[in-house]
Amino acid sequence: MDNDLISHVLILYTGGTIGMRITDRGYAPAKGFLQQQLRSMPQFHDPSQPDLTTPPSRLGRRIRYQIKEYDPLLDSVNMEFEDWVQIANDIAENYDQFDAFIVLHGTDTMAYATSALSFMLVNLAKPVIVTGSQLPLGEVRNDAVENMLGALAIAGSYSIPEVCLFFRSKLFRGNRARKVDASAFDAFDSGNFAPLARVGVDVSIQWSLVRLAAKNDLRVAPIIEKNVAALRLFPGIPVALLENVLKEPIRGVILETFGAGNAPDNRPEILRVLQEATDRGVVIVNCTQCMRGRVKSHYASGQSLADVGVVSGHDLTPEAALMKLAYLLSYADLSIEEVKRVMQTNIRGELTEEEQPHTSFRERAFVSSVAQILASSRNIEDVEAALYPVLMCAAVANDDVEALIRMVEGGADVNAVDYEGRTPLHVAAMKNAFLSAKFLLTHGADPLLTDRLGRTAIDEALRMESHSLLSLLRGR
Ligand code: ASP
């Protein structure tokens, strides 16, 4: 068989129902059982092949896989943050040897796991697909075979460089999915974001939704901060309960509010307790209890939360919000204000910011600004000066310091803005272009200028988690 037609996938088997054995005391995990089952099933192993390898797909591609079985195998209700850090580290350790990764995990905490992994795996450029099942592979009637085959087919054949959750023929972005059914095979959904792919007769991928692969090297930024909490508001909630949840050592709380982010505004004691906590530096994030929709500030009862320092979680799921908050609070070098800003910024496709720049607007604005320049300019210098901002941003995007030097020597203003109101320093921060940023700063670039969306270059560095650039921009 032509080697080019074999994809190499590592399966990290952490536990969950999928590999459990039926015993007289109910389902229980059993060492080696999953591997033995897969080896005996023709869909998962072609006996003519030396290692675990699937038969060729319709497109002639086989998937050769290895299974790393965790010890102990865990029911996912017993998992803690460290278990997900270990999964992230195992992916990083084996990153270069495999084309893709599948994580077999229990369904109960799977949405937390996929959210946590999506944040911890910084600069991911390969697929990580998490799956499990409601009935084990060893049951005659089960959903495990379909979920495993779907996850393998996608992992082995498509370059979707994200942490995904595959269940019942749908591939979700991991930090958008939620467990919505305790017993149906259709157990997951993502209310605010369409599935990335559906597996039917054909595999149909929504490429326009798939994130681009990161260019920098993968690294794991572990979640170590455990002092976070989630609190679901309910009518008549005792203020003492809120007070207790917000006590030290808690550093961050996801407040699950009603509807579009509303909480009672006729109980000053509740607002007082929240205000006291935010004043002490506790980060409180407003997320809706609803399955669909987002936090908006068009009701007075929602606005009063913002007034006491609670930040908007936009359309984050409570699972993604909790893991993102724990993740950001784990970075020792972020200030509380920075954590709050990044909480409201999209870093892994986990939330939809209210104002998204529209591509066609962007292109139209660019073309019309060039047309204006050409129509009104009498000489080449004018055209040059007017195009410098755009050209400088393009040079920075390639970290082409030589081109930058030429333009600055030619009279270009380092703080000039392009058609999105971005300075070259914004672009340097977005692209992690360290040399360009250094050059621009020493030539008078201002890291506090805001673009059309009100973001500074420091905000962009925060969003991109370019920590070396961040300290450069902060001047330390
Ligand atoms: N309790 C199990 C778990 O989350 C349920 C499952 O796997 O579906 O590990």
Side-chain angles (χ1 to χ4, degrees):
M1 173 105 227
D2 185 348
N3 250 351
D4 287 340
L5 291 178
I6 295 192
S7 302
H8 296 269
V9 173
L10 178 64
I11 299 183
L12 301 173
Y13 170 35
T14 70
T17 302
I18 192 161
M20 289 189 189
R21 178 182 231 149
I22 301 121
T23 71
D24 42 10
R25 298 192 58 235
Y27 296 142
K31 276 191 184 172
F33 184 63
L34 179 92
Q35 177 135 343
Q36 184 195 322
Q37 291 275 306
L38 292 174
R39 205 174 265 286
S40 69
M41 298 166 103
Q43 311 93 303
F44 292 107
H45 179 53
D46 177 344
S48 73
Q49 296 291 312
D51 303 310
L52 281 168
T53 310
T54 64
S57 70
R58 279 198 291 174
L59 301 172
R61 181 179 288 275
R62 292 176 184 271
I63 298 156
R64 182 158 291 159
Y65 57 97
Q66 278 177 35
I67 301 179
K68 178 177 166 53
E69 184 171 294
Y70 282 42
D71 186 16
L73 289 165
L74 287 178
D75 185 309
S76 77
V77 294
N78 294 322
M79 285 203 171
E80 299 192 8
F81 296 179
E82 292 90 339
D83 296 299
W84 300 324
V85 174
Q86 188 189 335
I87 297 172
N89 284 334
D90 286 340
I91 290 171
E93 247 167 56
N94 291 282
Y95 198 63
D96 295 335
Q97 291 91 275
F98 293 90
D99 302 307
F101 300 84
I102 291 180
V103 179
L104 299 179
H105 194 284
T107 57
D108 287 344
T109 62
M110 193 183 280
Y112 291 92
T114 49
S115 296
L117 290 172
S118 78
F119 296 116
M120 289 192 285
L121 292 166
V122 184
N123 299 325
L124 188 63
K126 294 184 178 181
V128 172
I129 301 184
V130 183
T131 193
S133 65
Q134 299 272 48
L135 282 176
L137 200 70
E139 279 277 10
V140 177
R141 194 175 60 79
N142 68 62
D143 56 335
V145 169
E146 189 195 316
N147 288 347
M148 271 292 281
L149 282 176
L152 269 174
I154 296 178
S157 309
Y158 300 92
S159 172
I160 300 181
E162 298 205 24
V163 175
C164 305
L165 188 157
F166 183 78
F167 223 85
R168 192 74 211 267
S169 75
K170 288 189 212 116
L171 185 77
F172 301 102
R173 173 168 296 156
N175 52 35
R176 293 286 195 158
R178 304 190 74 185
K179 184 167 181 181
V180 293
D181 201 310
S183 49
F185 287 167
D186 216 350
F188 286 84
D189 198 0
S190 70
N192 285 325
F193 200 76
L196 297 175
R198 287 172 198 269
V199 177
V201 172
D202 296 308
V203 176
S204 123
I205 315 266
Q206 291 294 311
W207 286 111
S208 62
L209 302 180
V210 175
R211 286 169 63 75
L212 296 178
K215 296 223 172 62
N216 295 330
D217 291 345
L218 178 86
R219 70 181 163 87
V220 175
I223 297 180
I224 44 185
E225 179 59 72
K226 290 184 175 172
N227 289 311
V228 289
L231 179 66
R232 190 179 165 95
L233 282 186
F234 51 88
I237 186 169
V239 73
L241 173 60
L242 257 179
E243 234 161 9
N244 280 328
V245 170
L246 291 163
K247 268 196 189 134
E248 278 205 39
I250 285 295
R251 297 186 60 208
V253 173
I254 305 305
L255 193 64
E256 293 181 37
T257 55
F258 307 123
N262 305 317
D265 61 351
N266 61 351
R267 294 182 55 197
E269 70 280 17
I270 288 191
L271 295 173
R272 180 185 46 79
V273 167
L274 292 172
Q275 176 83 67
E276 274 169 16
T278 58
D279 287 349
R280 273 189 282 122
V282 179
V283 181
I284 308 179
V285 181
N286 183 356
C287 279
T288 176
Q289 295 178 5
C290 300
M291 181 62 197
R292 276 175 250 286
R294 58 184 303 127
V295 170
K296 285 195 167 164
S297 52
H298 53 226
Y299 287 103
S301 48
Q303 187 53 45
S304 48
L305 287 180
D307 293 343
V308 293
V310 174
V311 297
S312 169
H314 296 276
D315 60 349
L316 280 172
T317 64
E319 292 88 341
L322 186 79
M323 298 322 301
K324 183 176 179 183
L325 189 52
Y327 170 70
L328 294 175
L329 289 169
S330 301
Y331 270 118
D333 65 336
L334 291 189
S335 69
I336 293 303
E337 277 318 306
E338 287 171 339
V339 169
K340 287 183 178 174
R341 282 191 86 111
V342 185
M343 261 326 280
Q344 300 172 82
T345 308
N346 170 24
I347 59 171
R348 300 280 193 282
E350 75 283 6
L351 66 76
T352 321
E353 290 170 34
E354 250 164 305
E355 279 179 293
Q356 294 276 343
H358 200 277
T359 333
S360 66
F361 162 74
R362 232 196 286 176
E363 279 146 11
R364 233 183 293 135
F366 176 58
V367 171
S368 80
S369 68
V370 173
Q372 262 172 28
I373 296 158
L374 292 177
S376 63
S377 307
R378 283 178 215 296
N379 53 43
I380 186 74
E381 283 78 23
D382 287 350
V383 177
E384 230 173 51
L387 286 180
Y388 268 152
V390 178
L391 294 176
M392 278 206 292
C393 288
V396 172
N398 296 319
D399 211 4
D400 183 349
V401 184
E402 274 177 38
L404 260 185
I405 295 175
R406 276 199 305 276
M407 283 186 264
V408 172
E409 283 175 352
D413 173 5
V414 289
N415 285 316
V417 297
D418 73 358
Y419 46 93
E420 279 181 346
R422 285 181 316 200
T423 64
L425 204 53
H426 278 98
V427 180
M430 279 164 65
K431 300 281 179 184
N432 202 10
F434 192 86
L435 294 178
S436 302
K438 216 167 170 178
F439 173 82
L440 290 164
L441 285 168
T442 49
H443 287 77
D446 180 353
L448 297 176
L449 292 178
T450 53
D451 67 6
R452 229 187 248 289
L453 297 175
R455 291 192 190 130
T456 65
I458 294 187
D459 291 333
E460 290 301 348
L462 275 170
R463 188 155 72 104
M464 300 311 292
E465 293 168 65
S466 320
H467 284 248
S468 49
L469 242 162
L470 200 54
S471 38
L472 181 74
L473 291 172
R474 289 165 172 153
R476 59 179 145 90

